[in-house]
Amino acid sequence: MITAIITAGGTGDRSQLKVNKNLFVFDGSTVIQKTVKKFLAVKKINKIIVTAPENLIETFKGILCPLSTKITVICGGETRSQSVKNGLDLISDGFVLIHDGARPFVSTKLINKCITLAKTHGTCIPSLPVLETLGEVKWEYIHSTMRTGLLTLQTPQVFRTDLIKKAYELANGESYTDDCGIYTQFIAPCYHTYGEQTNKKLTYKPDFEALLPQKSGIGFDIHRLVEGRKLVLGGVTIPHNKGLLGHSDADCLIHALMDAMLTAVGLNDIGHLFPDTDIKYKDIDSTILLKKVLVLVKKQGYKPVSACFTIMAEKPKLTPYLQDIKENVAKLLKTTPDKISISCTTFEGLGDIGAEQAIATNCLCYLSPCL
Ligand code: MG
């Protein structure tokens, strides 16, 4: 009998996510589903016990139990050790693999290797050499920089079920950060094998942001050029005898930027969000609308990192104003001017733009995950 106990009973507070870290979704499924599937793929594992937080137990059951009848979801405890103990209480013989729910990148190769080695040596702990130099601090001074022989321990950690149960009995409720610690303390040293660099435990917010793709979106806008209106591009007023006509200030650069960001994250365009039939948007400064769009984009877990524009205008010559526009747009996007690029083109006298009756802008915007 081979059992896997997968610990997902903690709150995952260090991740500072809005959801429990094991329920974080990337590439179409949750962290815990991905982890459990790795163990399901190892056919010699007969039973998988997942420890879940008490308040989320039904959610965990709902996403995990349909995967296989081998899976049982139980309540975790106050500590990781207590959660493992709850799982151990349900089994009695053979070998048990104990694995962190937040290590979804473990390979089936490593799982198989750990089982095989544990059958020979009684235990198996995957671990890696410490790469960073370590220091021991006492009274604000570093006293030692030895790292020789030190390892960082990973999971799955494999034990004979009867012996790890005995170790837990002897630990008598005392909390340890992993099972190797308990086993080593009360039974014997554990056998070591090399783990995998990719078998990373997802812990902090950047670990999760790195799992999500960068996104990009494009936007386009055109407005009629008429007398008696201010010409505003990128929130900068440009001296000219004509300005752009529209319900708002008709800043076609900001409009193209907003649509680029909204399409990148799959939201409706500005025509839907700020309809020109709504009196409250009459002559509104488009940078106010941009701030609202940034809030919506942030709610989708993204922030803009760079944007490039092409402004299509016969007149006026915009070169003297491009640096001001870049700086203003960068400030609005909370980035730096080097992340904003703008090219300008005339229409060689062709069409409405060539006839100085309109100005158009297109925009390509890149966004990165921001949880
Ligand atoms: Mg527009």
Side-chain angles (χ1 to χ4, degrees):
M1 176 82 172
I2 299 178
T3 308
I5 295 175
I6 298 177
T7 60
T11 52
D13 286 345
R14 283 180 293 177
S15 69
Q16 295 179 296
L17 298 177
K18 292 182 192 86
V19 293
N20 179 285
K21 71 172 181 177
N22 281 290
L23 297 177
F24 181 80
V25 175
F26 70 100
D27 287 342
S29 63
T30 58
V31 168
I32 192 67
Q33 283 170 308
K34 286 184 168 66
T35 305
V36 166
K37 280 179 184 172
K38 293 287 175 64
F39 287 82
L40 278 175
V42 178
K43 299 297 173 209
K44 66 183 84 150
I45 295 175
N46 311 96
K47 189 177 172 69
I48 298 172
I49 298 168
V50 179
T51 68
E54 194 175 356
N55 62 325
L56 293 170
I57 192 137
E58 290 310 318
T59 309
F60 274 67
K61 280 182 182 171
I63 59 168
L64 295 176
C65 293
L67 298 177
S68 168
T69 52
K70 285 184 182 177
I71 298 168
T72 306
V73 179
I74 63 167
C75 263
E78 290 280 296
T79 62
R80 186 185 186 282
S81 298
Q82 187 56 52
S83 293
V84 174
K85 172 85 169 52
N86 292 354
L88 290 173
D89 286 345
L90 302 180
I91 56 174
S92 57
D93 61 353
F95 284 86
V96 59
L97 297 85
I98 304 171
H99 185 71
D100 301 318
R103 287 187 196 266
F105 305 116
V106 63
S107 71
T108 52
K109 190 176 161 195
L110 181 63
I111 298 169
N112 275 308
K113 181 171 84 161
C114 289
I115 294 171
T116 305
L117 289 171
K119 281 181 175 173
T120 306
H121 300 279
T123 52
C124 185
I125 311 296
S127 33
L128 290 174
V130 173
L131 297 178
E132 309 269 355
T133 299
L134 297 176
E136 190 187 349
V137 177
K138 286 178 196 159
W139 304 108
E140 296 174 22
Y141 288 89
I142 293 167
H143 286 251
S144 157
T145 57
M146 294 294 288
R147 69 175 182 201
T148 318
L150 292 179
L151 297 168
T152 52
L153 307 191
Q154 300 188 332
T155 67
Q157 301 186 349
V158 191
F159 308 92
R160 259 177 53 184
T161 304
D162 57 342
L163 291 178
I164 187 73
K165 279 174 75 99
K166 190 175 164 197
Y168 266 83
E169 246 171 61
L170 294 170
N172 198 23
E174 201 182 328
S175 187
Y176 285 73
T177 54
D178 76 344
D179 308 288
C180 177
I182 295 186
Y183 193 93
T184 307
Q185 179 75 28
F186 296 104
I187 308 292
C190 296
Y191 188 76
H192 145 77
T193 189
Y194 284 104
E196 295 168 337
Q197 290 289 356
T198 47
N199 182 21
K200 191 174 159 55
K201 186 174 178 184
L202 301 173
T203 308
Y204 298 104
K205 194 183 272 190
D207 298 338
F208 293 86
E209 288 175 337
L211 302 173
L212 299 175
Q214 303 273 320
K215 291 194 171 185
S216 58
I218 56 171
F220 174 83
D221 195 32
I222 184 166
H223 280 269
R224 191 178 292 278
L225 203 50
V226 295
E227 284 175 2
R229 291 270 298 182
K230 260 198 323 185
L231 176 59
V232 183
L233 288 171
V236 174
T237 302
I238 292 162
H240 192 47
N241 61 348
K242 291 178 180 175
L244 295 172
L245 181 64
H247 186 64
S248 64
D249 65 3
D251 184 336
C252 62
L253 187 142
I254 296 292
H255 291 187
L257 172 61
M258 288 192 284
D259 273 351
M261 289 196 290
L262 290 165
T263 51
V265 298
L267 293 175
N268 280 333
D269 62 29
I270 54 170
H272 284 83
L273 292 177
F274 314 118
D276 62 9
T277 47
D278 192 331
I279 188 71
K280 71 173 174 278
Y281 303 124
K282 179 89 183 94
D283 291 326
I284 194 167
D285 176 346
S286 293
T287 62
I288 293 170
L289 304 180
L290 176 62
K291 284 173 188 161
K292 290 178 195 282
V293 166
L294 285 167
V295 172
L296 296 173
V297 169
K298 173 81 172 58
K299 277 189 188 159
Q300 299 296 309
Y302 279 86
K303 64 174 182 192
V305 287
S306 68
C308 53
F309 301 90
T310 304
I311 305 173
M312 292 157 254
E314 204 69 14
K315 273 188 186 167
K317 286 290 168 216
L318 294 167
T319 314
Y321 310 103
L322 294 186
Q323 191 55 30
D324 283 353
I325 295 174
K326 281 182 193 177
E327 282 173 18
N328 199 42
V329 171
K331 198 167 135 197
L332 290 162
L333 298 187
K334 296 189 173 67
T335 183
T336 48
D338 61 303
K339 303 289 194 313
I340 309 299
S341 57
I342 307 172
S343 63
C344 300
T345 186
T346 67
F347 263 38
E348 302 279 331
L350 294 165
D352 293 335
I353 292 172
E356 298 172 44
Q357 288 179 1
I359 290 179
T361 305
N362 64 20
C363 172
L364 171 63
C365 185
Y366 286 95
L367 299 92
S368 67
C370 161
L371 297 171

